[in-house]
Amino acid sequence: LSHAFCLQGFPEYVISVKQKQTELGQQALMVTAQQLVQNTLLTGAVMYKTLIDQVIYPFMQVATAMTATAKLYEVLQKVQASVSADKTPPKTVQTQLSRGFCLSIPELGELLISHEGDVVFSGSSPINKSVKITAPRQVVLDGVNTKEMELEAAAAFITKNHSGKIDTLHFKANRNADDTIDNALVIKNEAELEIGELTLEDALLVNSRRLSVTRSMDLQGGMFLNAGKFETTAKTATLKDIAYFHNAQNANFNATGQVILHTGNFSNNGNITAQDLNLVSSELVNNTGTIKTQRKLEISGLGSILNTGTINGTSGNVYVYGTRFEQKGYFFASEVNLFADESLLIKKHKGTNCTF
């Protein structure tokens, strides 16, 4: 279990979907659902009871696994098919299609499981439970409003037109995924999500519409791509060891507190605002949009730092460190400190106190 949950206790429900083969070599899934029944942190006594522990595959002979508090059943659809042989008239027959499986737990709702191992978790009513979901492929959160959630999957998608709300979300990319781009938490372009505390490990975070983080944000590894509206009121938002940070044209990144951003490549074509911004790049900083801070802006680059947009420190201080700084845009601050090995100033720059 992750440190995120260990700090607050153990999840009340643990849902696991794993790929396996039957004894006949048929591709199948092992579905396990457990419920926490005892958690005494002082003595370290933690006990779960198993609600469901079932191997599933299309048209399985045992159609339903059921306990007092959970049910797992196959979703079958009746269809008509037309069958014909040579020189014989078509014959209509009744058959069935398997759409996957449904895991129903009253306190959580329904989870749909595809034959490939994708999980869809829907919920319109608030769920005051903590849950951990492990899946070999994608987890789709369809308007979920829940307390604490830990996801370990190849990817997680936030969908639908209405807003979702998760008090604490911890997402860890499934290391079994072959393609790094699949290791992603994606807020799709019709979705909005509010998170109290967000923790990501080695994942690509893609925001296409609106993502709000209110109390705590900790991203370790992976990439950050914002094409919509991202906002955080966390005292400190941390993005460390990020391979690539990109804020797209017309996108907004708004932080009322401090932002610590350590990345390989930094690209901003939109608008970034923060009280303080500590930006460290090991390769390239390229700003064609607007970066605005209220108090302090530090930019450090082992490679080139290029500004063809606007850097606005307003009444605060701006510090630039690195190998080469090219200023071809607009640069404002009450105090400007340039400590780059080489600085090229072509367009407007202004500061009450300038140090070069």
Side-chain angles (χ1 to χ4, degrees):
L1 295 173
S2 73
H3 295 292
F5 272 118
C6 290
L7 292 174
Q8 304 177 40
F10 290 88
E12 294 164 275
Y13 287 92
V14 177
I15 312 297
S16 173
V17 179
K18 297 181 179 180
Q19 294 174 328
K20 67 167 300 177
Q21 288 186 338
T22 66
E23 294 179 354
L24 300 177
Q26 185 177 11
Q27 293 296 325
L29 298 170
M30 170 64 76
V31 177
T32 305
Q34 295 179 308
Q35 181 182 10
L36 182 67
V37 293
Q38 181 182 356
N39 182 9
T40 308
L41 294 179
L42 294 177
T43 63
V46 178
M47 184 181 299
Y48 282 88
K49 69 176 180 180
T50 299
L51 306 179
I52 295 292
D53 188 15
Q54 180 70 45
V55 176
I56 60 174
Y57 50 89
F59 304 108
M60 53 186 287
Q61 293 181 354
V62 180
T64 302
M66 185 182 303
T67 62
T69 54
K71 181 169 65 172
L72 177 65
Y73 59 92
E74 190 168 9
V75 180
L76 298 172
Q77 179 184 0
K78 293 182 178 180
V79 296
Q80 288 185 345
S82 181
V83 180
S84 63
D86 292 341
K87 298 180 181 181
T88 59
K91 182 180 180 181
T92 301
V93 297
Q94 298 285 343
T95 187
Q96 289 181 323
L97 291 178
S98 178
R99 297 295 188 184
F101 289 80
C102 178
L103 173 62
S104 177
I105 300 175
E107 287 192 318
L108 297 183
E110 294 184 342
L111 289 84
L112 301 179
I113 304 170
S114 74
H115 295 300
E116 291 76 26
D118 300 306
V119 176
V120 179
F121 188 15
S122 303
S124 56
S125 301
I127 302 170
N128 192 30
K129 299 295 178 182
S130 57
V131 58
K132 177 180 179 179
I133 300 176
T134 301
R137 286 169 51 92
Q138 301 172 357
V139 174
V140 178
L141 302 180
D142 189 353
V144 169
N145 186 342
T146 188
K147 185 174 70 172
E148 297 176 6
M149 179 169 287
E150 182 175 8
L151 301 177
E152 186 171 344
F157 289 87
I158 315 298
T159 64
K160 289 299 182 185
N161 296 320
H162 54 275
S163 300
K165 186 174 182 179
I166 303 174
D167 188 68
T168 301
L169 175 61
H170 179 99
F171 176 78
K172 183 178 181 180
N174 190 334
R175 298 184 184 277
N176 293 326
D178 294 331
D179 193 346
T180 305
I181 202 69
D182 287 336
N183 297 334
L185 173 63
V186 181
I187 293 86
K188 301 190 75 173
N189 55 16
E190 71 275 15
E192 295 185 0
L193 179 63
E194 179 182 327
I195 303 174
E197 299 179 8
L198 174 63
T199 305
L200 264 68
E201 296 182 40
D202 300 326
L204 166 64
L205 175 59
V206 179
N207 175 42
S208 300
R209 177 69 179 272
R210 179 179 175 268
L211 173 62
S212 174
V213 181
T214 58
R215 300 194 308 275
S216 173
M217 178 175 174
D218 185 9
L219 275 60
Q220 300 288 340
M223 293 183 281
F224 183 97
L225 305 180
N226 181 42
K229 183 177 182 180
F230 172 83
E231 53 193 8
T232 177
T233 54
K235 185 177 180 180
T236 300
T238 303
L239 301 85
K240 286 191 174 181
D241 299 325
I242 306 298
Y244 180 47
F245 176 97
H246 179 64
N247 194 50
Q249 187 175 7
N250 299 321
N252 292 286
F253 183 106
N254 301 317
T256 59
Q258 180 187 34
V259 177
I260 299 175
L261 172 57
H262 295 176
T263 181
N265 284 283
F266 172 90
S267 173
N268 175 47
N269 305 125
N271 298 291
I272 295 177
T273 61
Q275 185 180 48
D276 298 313
L277 173 58
N278 182 327
L279 170 59
V280 178
S281 173
S282 60
E283 296 183 35
L284 176 66
V285 173
N286 185 17
N287 177 54
T288 63
T290 298
I291 300 175
K292 184 177 181 180
T293 57
Q294 300 297 327
R295 191 167 58 188
K296 186 177 181 181
L297 170 61
E298 290 188 27
I299 303 176
S300 302
L302 298 180
S304 296
I305 301 171
L306 175 63
N307 176 46
T308 56
T310 299
I311 294 177
N312 189 349
T314 56
S315 60
N317 302 334
V318 175
Y319 300 84
V320 179
Y321 306 86
T323 305
R324 178 180 173 83
F325 174 54
E326 293 187 25
Q327 160 54 27
K328 298 180 180 180
Y330 296 90
F331 193 22
F332 306 99
S334 64
E335 181 177 324
V336 178
N337 301 273
L338 301 182
F339 301 118
D341 295 341
E342 181 181 2
S343 296
L344 177 64
L345 307 178
I346 297 178
K347 256 192 174 181
K348 295 182 179 180
H349 56 280
K350 180 180 180 182
T352 305
N353 298 302
C354 297
T355 302
F356 299 95

